[in-house]
């Protein structure tokens, strides 16, 4: 008899949540693309005043992340099981209200890939979505970094959400996973959770969303035709983001989570799961 | 000979900025609409823990505004001439970096309509964009309030931007404005800056943007036709927001700014403007 899967782990619900995140990501990328690259905000120690007043030797963006994530910490955001900040949680303040109690849907784990997201986002994605001719600096350091924080939060939630996919698939058929978890067979685990046809549909949908949301309706409404339509984002850039970074890193999260799925369980508990 | 108008005050540039803000507003409204109304976050004193730990007797939303605006204050956001926070500026921290120097485009003024924006947004707009059947509470108090902050910031910037419109039109023909400023003739001033045909085009464009950005591309992509398309926002709600609130309040800002436009100028300076 199939095990009862909790509502928050049912695949159609998880898929709807993941899809809804797509437009959030596309939109924040568009917002970031309004501003120039401003590479200085990604260079450690580039603002001497930050070192002087805040003893901060990392990048401006990481400082802004800490500030913004601190205000969210007071709201209890990082107690939600699908939210992972970039600043180490012990450097953030405690929530002011008693945190909302979230149903325990995931097995205890140590997964956190925010530093890898930070890396590909700042090195590979920002230069693409802000590409323009000439001097790529407009001095909007604050606005650029705030947009970066929004994109980074959305990417973190999207990629770590892979754990809910893993848990859902694991619960639907634990016996299929357990031998591979025990033998640390990451390829076999990846195969169990990968659906190439779902990925293809996802990439097509992402291209369509970027195409629709990236339209410039101002020039469309004012131009008398014949004028090349400006776009606010290039759909290829968003497809690349998903294809080269979001999907592969989600898979890492999914597999790493599975590798920890039996930790702390007794043999009897694992046997019970297989029934 | 027409006076030289600085680049930041040229009408086509101002219009492009105002239009770009439209999709930001539409998008944040859509983001807010994901969550339930959660009326408790708009009730003063509804969270006893806030009073206890933070000595805060106003609403949860105002507390979140203060927190989020404090982190932006450290980034210097409120030193920009087009940004007006909801929290009194003296309750916010100082910027950490030396604020970017902004060209002085506006005459010194005391305009701030954030409390009126807060009022119509929380009372009239939130209930519309979050309308749903049944119990309109999902306990996402933090997320709802963070989205509200984004909408409120975008509306504040949009509405206060009216001062740039006023200054631009004033500089183009000071002699037309000065007698009405001196006689406090607000109707005549409003007539000088109002273009009903521009407003009509704006409302059509807003409806179109809400229509395009509010599409649910997930159901469009998966439904096999015949299924009623779900929408993420009702374009009528966004048109109402602009027609009943944003446009009239922008006009108030524009006229109030003009009324202060000659303050501090000597008669000789005013005469020089008329030449």
């Amino acid at each position: 008899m199939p095990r009862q899967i909790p509502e928050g782990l049912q695949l159609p619900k998880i898929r709807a949540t993941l899809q809804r995140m797509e437009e959030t990501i596309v939109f924040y990328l568009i917002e970031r693309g309004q501003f120039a690259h401003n590479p200085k905000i990604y260079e450690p120690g580039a603002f001497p005043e930050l070192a002087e007043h805040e003893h901060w030797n990392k990048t401006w963006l990481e400082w802004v992340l800490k500030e913004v994530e601190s205000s969210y910490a007071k709201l209890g955001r990082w107690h939600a099981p699908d939210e992972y900040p970039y600043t180490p949680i012990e450097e953030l303040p405690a929530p002011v209200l008693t945190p909302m109690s979230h149903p325990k849907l995931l097995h205890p784990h140590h997964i956190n890939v925010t530093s890898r997201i930070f890396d590909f986002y700042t090195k590979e994605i920002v230069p693409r979505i802000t590409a323009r001719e000439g001097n790529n600096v407009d001095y909007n350091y604050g606005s650029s970094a705030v947009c970066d924080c929004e994109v980074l939060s959305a990417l973190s939630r999207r990629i770590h959400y892979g754990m809910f996919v893993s848990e859902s698939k694991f619960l639907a058929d634990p016996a299929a996973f357990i031998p591979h978890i025990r033998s640390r067979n990451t390829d076999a685990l990846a195969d169990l959770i990968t659906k190439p046809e779902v990925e293809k549909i996802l990439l097509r949908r992402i291209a369509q969303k970027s195409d629709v949301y990236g339209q410039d309706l101002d020039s469309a409404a004012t131009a008398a035709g014949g004028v090349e339509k400006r776009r606010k984002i290039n759909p290829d850039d968003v497809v690349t983001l998903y294809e080269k970074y979001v999907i592969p890193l989600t898979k890492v999260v999914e597999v790493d989570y599975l590798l920890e799925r039996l930790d702390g369980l007794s043999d009897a508990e694992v046997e019970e799961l297989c029934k």
Side-chain angles (χ1 to χ4, degrees), chain A residues 87-219:
Chain A
T87 309
I89 195 91
E90 59 278 10
E91 295 173 22
L92 295 173
V96 166
L97 300 189
T98 308
M100 196 172 146
S101 73
H102 296 279
K104 283 244 171 304
L105 297 174
L106 298 180
H107 191 71
H109 66 84
H110 303 87
I111 311 300
N112 187 320
V113 295
T114 48
S115 66
R116 292 174 70 170
I117 303 173
F118 186 87
D119 221 49
F120 77 68
Y121 174 70
T122 54
K123 290 189 187 139
E124 305 295 335
I125 306 304
V126 177
R128 275 171 210 263
I129 59 168
T130 60
R132 57 198 70 193
E133 280 176 25
N135 179 19
N136 209 336
V137 175
D138 61 14
Y139 305 100
N140 285 306
Y141 298 138
S143 306
S144 302
V146 167
C147 289
D148 284 335
C149 292
E150 302 283 13
V151 181
L152 285 167
S153 278
L155 287 174
S156 171
R157 182 159 178 252
R158 169 61 181 78
I159 290 169
H160 289 105
Y161 220 85
M163 289 187 277
F164 291 84
V165 177
S166 286
E167 181 65 23
S168 175
K169 292 187 174 174
F170 174 84
L171 282 187
D173 188 6
F177 287 85
I178 287 171
H180 299 308
I181 295 173
R182 288 191 151 149
S183 64
R184 321 306 279 167
N185 187 341
T186 52
D187 288 346
L189 290 172
D191 281 348
L192 280 173
I193 48 164
T194 300
K195 291 230 170 140
E197 69 279 14
V198 172
E199 286 174 16
K200 251 186 234 160
I201 295 170
L202 183 160
L203 293 175
R204 270 207 302 275
R205 194 176 55 234
I206 272 288
Q208 194 205 1
K209 287 183 178 177
S210 313
D211 191 44
V212 169
Y213 300 130
Q215 287 175 70
D216 191 326
L217 294 173
D218 295 330
S219 55

